[in-house]
Amino acid sequence: MRNYVGAIDQGTTSTRFMVFDQAGRIVVVAQKEHEQIYPKPGWVEHDPLEILRRTEEVIAEALAQRGLRASDLAAVGITNQRETTVVWECKTGKPIANAVVWQDTRVADEVRRFSAAGGQDRFRAQTGLPLSTYFSGLKLRWLLTNVPGAREKAAAGDLLFGNVDAFLLWHLTGGAKGGVHATDVTNASRTQLLNIKTLDWDEKLLAAFEVPRAMLPQVRSSSEIYGEATLGTIAGVPVAGILGDQQAALVGQACFRPGEVKNTYGTGCFLLMNTGERLVPSNFGLLTTLAYKLAARRHIMRSKEAWRLPERWCSGCATTWGSLRKVQRWRRWRERSATMAECISSPRFRDCLRRTGKRVREG
């Protein structure tokens, strides 16, 4: 009898597989980290095949811990680090390069160049997002431009693009032998290629970023059966849910009504507010993004997200250096570390915290 559901939590630094019972209680968890690759200052990469291996390993480990089998699982869902960009060969499943992680800033010059012809907000009306090193569109463009032969292969229909959710879904459901190439609206909305009004890839954006539409995944809801897993340990189990990690936290905290807000601390710090079915532009730098879409409902829920300039990612990482419940111990530790003291006590760090708080209050 299928009494459990499984969740793949693919994050920036590790991958987890969690199994829940019918009451929503955690039955078992397995977790493994993956390598953080820093080829140059400002560049951050992951090996997509290592992420795939870690996913397979934690699934097998978690099920083995409790003696569970695929037949015990009613469904499996995926939540993932958003924006991290993967391009792979559709015939082999092999990535053409390492994944370009959301933190990566290699496209900073492209951001300035695109912004010079229309401003940083030139695509905000369609996407809800400013031009930034953060989102997937420019990262994808960089891969197509800088990996030898990539643009030609993409034009020929030999390459696929996706964030980590789409890469995992494709592999878990068969890969080169009929794998499902799809993503959900929350992940698609973070590519800066999706029109958040039409919920479809925008032809003008694709032309601006020079991205062939054929390599993009199908955009689907956040809760539906995309396909059945072919991976041995979960073969035959429906893959039935996808949400970007921060939207998953919004849903997980039951923020289903307009005005409800979640704030979570991981590799970064993210605040999301449910704004209902309306698009609510912000005058204070917040992002307008998609919160979730349930297959059984016609309407899509939207949200606003606290926006951080790249240096503000430091604030989220800083919480890993000391628990907020142990402030005094953290301060003593800071005083013993000149490097940490310089970072945490810097005017830029204090100012970014002040500006973030102001924007959340006003936006």
Side-chain angles (χ1 to χ4, degrees):
M1 187 173 179
R2 298 179 183 270
N3 292 321
Y4 305 97
V5 294
I8 298 168
D9 177 10
Q10 203 303 296
T12 306
T13 59
S14 69
T15 304
R16 290 188 295 179
F17 187 69
M18 309 176 71
V19 177
F20 300 85
D21 64 17
Q22 293 183 353
R25 294 177 297 233
I26 298 174
V27 175
V28 65
V29 179
Q31 181 173 3
K32 288 191 175 183
E33 295 183 349
H34 57 265
E35 182 182 6
Q36 306 297 306
I37 303 167
Y38 306 103
K40 297 180 181 181
W43 291 30
V44 189
E45 298 178 352
H46 294 158
D47 178 355
L49 294 180
E50 182 188 12
I51 288 176
L52 179 61
R53 289 194 302 272
R54 295 291 177 264
T55 301
E56 295 172 349
E57 289 165 0
V58 295
I59 291 173
E61 181 180 327
L63 296 180
Q65 284 182 33
R66 292 298 299 264
L68 299 174
R69 297 174 295 179
S71 58
D72 295 313
L73 298 178
V76 168
I78 299 172
T79 182
N80 58 287
Q81 52 172 313
R82 306 172 302 170
E83 295 98 13
T84 295
T85 303
V86 189
V87 176
W88 67 96
E89 297 176 346
C90 58
K91 294 179 180 178
T92 66
K94 294 181 179 179
I96 65 169
N98 282 333
V100 182
V101 179
W102 58 274
Q103 300 157 306
D104 188 288
T105 60
R106 71 185 66 187
V107 297
D109 289 341
E110 288 294 280
V111 170
R112 286 188 285 271
R113 188 175 72 81
F114 271 73
S115 298
Q120 190 176 9
D121 289 335
R122 62 181 285 192
F123 301 131
R124 192 185 277 267
Q126 302 101 304
T127 68
L129 311 172
L131 281 163
S132 169
T133 61
Y134 191 17
F135 308 110
S136 308
L138 285 176
K139 299 179 192 294
L140 174 55
R141 186 178 187 276
W142 188 95
L143 288 169
L144 293 177
T145 302
N146 290 277
V147 176
R151 191 165 291 283
E152 293 74 18
K153 289 181 179 179
D158 294 332
L159 297 182
L160 300 176
F161 155 76
N163 298 122
V164 175
D165 65 302
F167 180 74
L168 290 179
L169 176 66
W170 187 83
H171 278 280
L172 292 176
T173 56
K177 298 180 180 180
V180 177
H181 188 215
T183 187
D184 90 305
V185 293
T186 67
N187 281 289
S189 72
R190 310 299 290 195
T191 62
Q192 208 161 38
L193 301 174
L194 185 86
N195 188 311
I196 59 173
K197 297 176 183 176
T198 66
L199 305 185
D200 194 11
W201 304 117
D202 189 290
E203 295 296 340
K204 292 183 179 179
L205 293 172
L206 298 183
F209 286 99
E210 299 179 275
V211 172
R213 187 184 181 103
M215 70 184 305
L216 301 179
Q218 181 185 11
V219 181
R220 296 169 67 172
S221 77
S222 307
S223 179
E224 63 176 276
I225 295 176
Y226 311 101
E228 289 189 352
T230 60
L231 178 67
T233 50
I234 54 171
V237 178
V239 182
I242 298 175
L243 278 166
D245 54 5
Q246 300 310 318
Q247 284 90 339
L250 187 76
V251 171
Q253 296 293 334
C255 297
F256 297 122
R257 293 180 296 184
E260 293 184 330
V261 180
K262 75 87 186 171
N263 193 38
T264 49
Y265 300 85
T267 306
C269 171
F270 300 87
L271 183 148
L272 271 73
M273 173 187 287
N274 187 328
T275 62
E277 298 172 11
R278 295 189 304 124
L279 283 171
V280 182
S282 171
N283 296 322
F284 300 96
L286 302 185
L287 308 181
T288 303
T289 196
L290 303 184
Y292 58 88
K293 183 179 189 298
L294 304 181
R297 298 183 180 179
R298 181 171 61 88
H299 300 294
I300 183 166
M301 302 302 287
R302 309 176 192 276
S303 66
K304 295 170 74 173
E305 180 169 336
W307 171 239
R308 306 143 335 280
L309 295 172
E311 66 265 28
R312 293 184 192 174
W313 295 333
C314 177
S315 66
C317 298
T319 62
T320 68
W321 296 345
S323 168
L324 296 178
R325 292 189 298 267
K326 301 176 182 177
V327 174
Q328 293 302 323
R329 182 184 300 176
W330 176 65
R331 287 175 176 167
R332 290 195 296 270
W333 183 25
R334 183 190 66 181
E335 292 167 359
R336 292 196 298 268
S337 173
T339 301
M340 175 182 270
E342 181 179 355
C343 175
I344 301 300
S345 300
S346 69
R348 171 175 285 191
F349 184 86
R350 293 198 303 269
D351 183 55
C352 85
L353 291 180
R354 177 185 60 79
R355 285 181 289 149
T356 301
K358 179 181 178 181
R359 285 181 175 178
V360 169
R361 290 193 300 272
E362 295 178 348

